[in-house]
Amino acid sequence: MTGLEDKFSTLRAVLWTLLAALVFTLIFASGKFVGAEVDAVQIVFMRYLGAAVVIGAAVLWIHRGFAPVRSDVPGLHLARAVSGVSGEICIISAPLFMAYEDATSISLTNGVIAMLLAIVLLKERAGPMHWFAAMTCLLGAILIVRSQAESAAAGSNMLGIGIAVSGAVLSGAELFFIKLLTGRERPMVIMLYVNVLAVIMLAVPALLLWRPMHGADLVWLLSIGPLALFGQYCWIRAFQNADAVIVVPVGYAAIPFSAILGIVAFHQGLGAVQVTGAMLVLAGGVLLARLPATRETAAGAE
């Protein structure tokens, strides 16, 4: 690849990543868009149902059946689905109790959780810079938590903080499981299993919590499933055009995107402490994404 071609490939990757970050910024704001009228479980169910219908139809069109996409590690898919569904419910619920951009910043510390799981379970080694990046991320999250806790509606905000932190932990676990799956399964298999399993998991709770949807709420909730699949497609195209060290840091554009959305759509203001915290999460996440993950040698691991 020539230098010019390499630059265009990088530019395409950046544009695909920015589009993916924007898509998921909108999806994770679903709870704010529809308000308290629709439960977060119902929102997440609609998201996975729409995605399952689309990816299921694609599998049938391409393979004329589901046998070719059968998995040898269904338990790993189930673990990914449980953590992913639970995490997404938390991420969508948290902004109902705190500023949306703050909830997003806290949730983006999931990379630190994924790193810790990789160190403990996969025996990956973390150097001083890995720990510095992780601590920078966590310091930013702590500043945001402190800012929220000291505001007038402290009780409500503390609930939001707990939910946001839970979302970060669970989505970090999902990233870890995705890491394991990507070396064993094709992307279509991974997308099919998580969406179908999520629908099965959420069917009964969603039915029990079901509230009628009308007008713009109904249109939005019917759209987020295909929109989420498009976001996943954007990530895939981004990684096809550039390495993770370029793509992943650009994904932290979700922080300024969420800040802009919070100001424009939800009329939320930003304080100096919140901005500082978000920038620390952004800086730590970008640094963490650009550092190589290393393993202990086979002898050392044994």
Side-chain angles (χ1 to χ4, degrees):
M1 182 180 291
T2 67
L4 184 60
E5 289 174 339
D6 186 59
K7 288 181 179 179
F8 276 116
S9 181
T10 299
L11 177 60
R12 286 194 296 269
V14 169
L15 293 176
W16 279 115
T17 306
L18 289 174
L19 187 55
L22 177 60
V23 166
F24 282 104
T25 296
L26 294 172
I27 290 173
F28 291 145
S30 296
K32 295 287 282 187
F33 282 133
V34 301
E37 291 78 17
V38 180
D39 191 87
V41 172
Q42 184 176 343
I43 294 173
V44 177
F45 174 75
M46 292 293 293
R47 171 255 198 267
Y48 282 108
L49 178 62
V53 169
V54 174
I55 193 66
V59 169
L60 288 174
W61 177 265
I62 295 171
H63 297 289
R64 299 294 188 268
F66 292 103
V69 292
R70 187 172 298 163
S71 173
D72 295 327
V73 285
L76 202 52
H77 287 284
L78 179 60
R80 183 265 171 108
V82 170
S83 56
V85 168
S86 304
E88 189 161 339
I89 290 174
C90 290
I91 291 171
I92 289 177
S93 299
L96 298 176
F97 304 96
M98 63 188 297
Y100 170 63
E101 61 275 8
D102 291 347
T104 299
S105 297
I106 292 174
S107 71
L108 287 175
T109 60
N110 58 2
V112 176
I113 305 301
M115 184 193 86
L116 294 175
L117 288 172
I119 291 170
V120 174
L121 300 178
L122 299 182
K123 307 302 181 185
E124 289 187 356
R125 289 185 300 169
M129 290 303 295
H130 288 86
W131 289 110
F132 174 76
M135 292 304 102
T136 301
C137 238
L138 290 178
L139 176 61
I142 290 170
L143 285 177
I144 295 170
V145 168
R146 183 182 178 89
S147 172
Q148 286 286 325
E150 290 178 349
S151 67
S156 176
N157 283 349
M158 289 305 294
L159 177 59
I161 289 168
I163 295 172
V165 170
S166 298
V169 172
L170 289 165
S171 60
E174 183 189 19
L175 287 177
F176 172 74
F177 290 124
I178 291 174
K179 178 183 177 70
L180 295 180
L181 282 167
T182 50
R184 306 182 186 190
E185 301 277 27
R186 290 170 292 157
M188 180 170 284
V189 177
I190 295 173
M191 288 193 293
L192 177 67
Y193 268 78
V194 69
N195 287 296
V196 172
L197 286 171
V199 169
I200 295 171
M201 289 165 48
L202 291 172
V204 173
L207 182 62
L208 294 174
L209 296 169
W210 195 266
R211 296 181 184 178
M213 299 174 292
H214 306 284
D217 289 352
L218 178 60
V219 173
W220 173 246
L221 293 179
L222 289 174
S223 302
I224 58 175
L227 188 63
L229 277 180
F230 175 67
Q232 293 175 359
Y233 173 76
C234 291
W235 279 117
I236 292 171
R237 289 302 304 272
F239 282 114
Q240 286 175 340
N241 282 278
D243 292 336
V245 294
I246 294 174
V247 171
V248 176
V250 178
Y252 277 83
I255 289 179
F257 284 164
S258 64
I260 294 170
L261 184 64
I263 293 170
V264 174
F266 309 130
H267 309 294
Q268 295 174 340
L270 293 174
V273 176
Q274 294 167 285
V275 172
T276 302
M279 290 302 99
L280 285 172
V281 172
L282 176 62
V286 169
L287 177 58
L288 185 61
R290 297 188 69 87
L291 292 172
T294 58
R295 282 181 177 272
E296 304 238 351
T297 62
E302 292 171 359

